[in-house]
Amino acid sequence: MRIGHSSLTHQHLMKREDPPICTSCGTQLTIKHIITECRQFESEKRKAGVPLILAEALQPANIQNTISFIINSNLINLL
Protein backbone atom coordinates (compact mmCIF):
# COMPACT_ATOMS: atom_id res chain seq x y z
CA MET A 1 0.00 0.00 0.00
CA ARG A 2 2.86 2.39 0.65
CA ILE A 3 3.77 2.37 -3.02
CA GLY A 4 0.13 2.72 -4.04
CA HIS A 5 -0.24 -0.70 -5.62
CA SER A 6 -2.77 -3.38 -4.83
CA SER A 7 -4.63 -6.04 -6.71
CA LEU A 8 -7.79 -3.94 -6.68
CA THR A 9 -6.15 -0.82 -8.06
CA HIS A 10 -3.63 -2.33 -10.49
CA GLN A 11 -4.90 -5.67 -11.80
CA HIS A 12 -6.31 -3.83 -14.82
CA LEU A 13 -2.76 -3.43 -16.13
CA MET A 14 -2.26 -7.17 -16.42
CA LYS A 15 -5.73 -7.66 -17.88
CA ARG A 16 -5.28 -4.77 -20.32
CA GLU A 17 -8.49 -3.15 -19.16
CA ASP A 18 -9.44 0.37 -18.19
CA PRO A 19 -8.57 1.44 -14.63
CA PRO A 20 -11.27 0.71 -12.05
CA ILE A 21 -13.64 3.52 -11.14
CA CYS A 22 -15.04 4.09 -7.66
CA THR A 23 -18.76 3.34 -7.80
CA SER A 24 -19.44 5.88 -5.07
CA CYS A 25 -17.35 8.83 -6.26
CA GLY A 26 -16.91 8.24 -9.99
CA THR A 27 -13.13 8.76 -9.86
CA GLN A 28 -10.27 6.35 -10.54
CA LEU A 29 -9.86 3.84 -7.74
CA THR A 30 -6.48 4.27 -6.05
CA ILE A 31 -5.05 3.49 -2.63
CA LYS A 32 -5.03 7.22 -1.90
CA HIS A 33 -8.67 7.53 -2.90
CA ILE A 34 -9.74 4.58 -0.74
CA ILE A 35 -7.84 5.67 2.36
CA THR A 36 -8.22 9.46 2.25
CA GLU A 37 -10.91 10.58 -0.19
CA CYS A 38 -13.70 8.04 -0.70
CA ARG A 39 -17.09 9.12 0.68
CA GLN A 40 -18.30 5.52 0.82
CA PHE A 41 -15.94 4.68 3.69
CA GLU A 42 -16.01 7.95 5.68
CA SER A 43 -17.64 6.52 8.79
CA GLU A 44 -15.36 3.45 8.86
CA LYS A 45 -12.26 5.66 8.50
CA ARG A 46 -13.46 7.99 11.24
CA LYS A 47 -14.27 5.08 13.61
CA ALA A 48 -10.83 3.56 13.02
CA GLY A 49 -9.06 6.90 13.48
CA VAL A 50 -7.42 6.93 10.06
CA PRO A 51 -5.63 10.25 9.34
CA LEU A 52 -6.81 12.24 6.32
CA ILE A 53 -3.31 12.41 4.83
CA LEU A 54 -2.09 9.22 3.12
CA ALA A 55 1.52 9.51 4.31
CA GLU A 56 0.30 9.81 7.89
CA ALA A 57 -2.18 6.93 7.52
CA LEU A 58 0.64 4.62 6.43
CA GLN A 59 3.13 5.64 9.13
CA PRO A 60 4.01 2.97 11.71
CA ALA A 61 2.22 4.95 14.44
CA ASN A 62 -1.08 4.85 12.50
CA ILE A 63 -0.83 1.64 10.49
CA GLN A 64 -2.89 -0.38 12.99
CA ASN A 65 -5.77 2.11 12.57
CA THR A 66 -5.49 1.86 8.80
CA ILE A 67 -5.44 -1.93 8.91
CA SER A 68 -8.49 -1.93 11.19
CA PHE A 69 -10.30 0.27 8.66
CA ILE A 70 -9.39 -2.06 5.79
CA ILE A 71 -10.60 -5.11 7.71
CA ASN A 72 -13.80 -3.49 9.02
CA SER A 73 -14.76 -2.15 5.58
CA ASN A 74 -14.28 -5.61 3.99
CA LEU A 75 -11.51 -4.40 1.67
CA ILE A 76 -8.93 -6.82 3.04
CA ASN A 77 -9.48 -9.48 0.37
CA LEU A 78 -9.55 -6.93 -2.44
CA LEU A 79 -6.30 -5.18 -1.70
Side-chain angles (χ1 to χ4, degrees):
M1 285 190 339
R2 285 192 176 138
I3 62 171
H5 293 189
S6 74
S7 178
L8 177 63
T9 61
H10 283 76
Q11 67 183 342
H12 71 279
L13 296 172
M14 298 300 279
K15 294 181 177 182
R16 297 178 186 222
E17 298 175 346
D18 291 333
I21 302 297
C22 177
T23 57
S24 178
C25 305
T27 61
Q28 185 173 341
L29 199 56
T30 64
I31 293 295
K32 180 180 183 206
H33 176 74
I34 293 167
I35 294 178
T36 65
E37 302 167 350
C38 189
R39 298 180 301 239
Q40 180 179 353
F41 301 110
E42 281 181 10
S43 64
E44 290 93 341
K45 289 183 280 191
R46 192 172 29 256
K47 287 178 190 175
V50 177
L52 298 176
I53 299 170
L54 182 62
E56 290 179 19
L58 298 177
Q59 289 296 317
N62 296 316
I63 197 67
Q64 188 59 45
N65 295 355
T66 304
I67 291 170
S68 292
F69 154 66
I70 291 168
I71 292 169
N72 293 335
S73 59
N74 295 317
L75 292 169
I76 191 72
N77 293 326
L78 301 174
L79 298 178

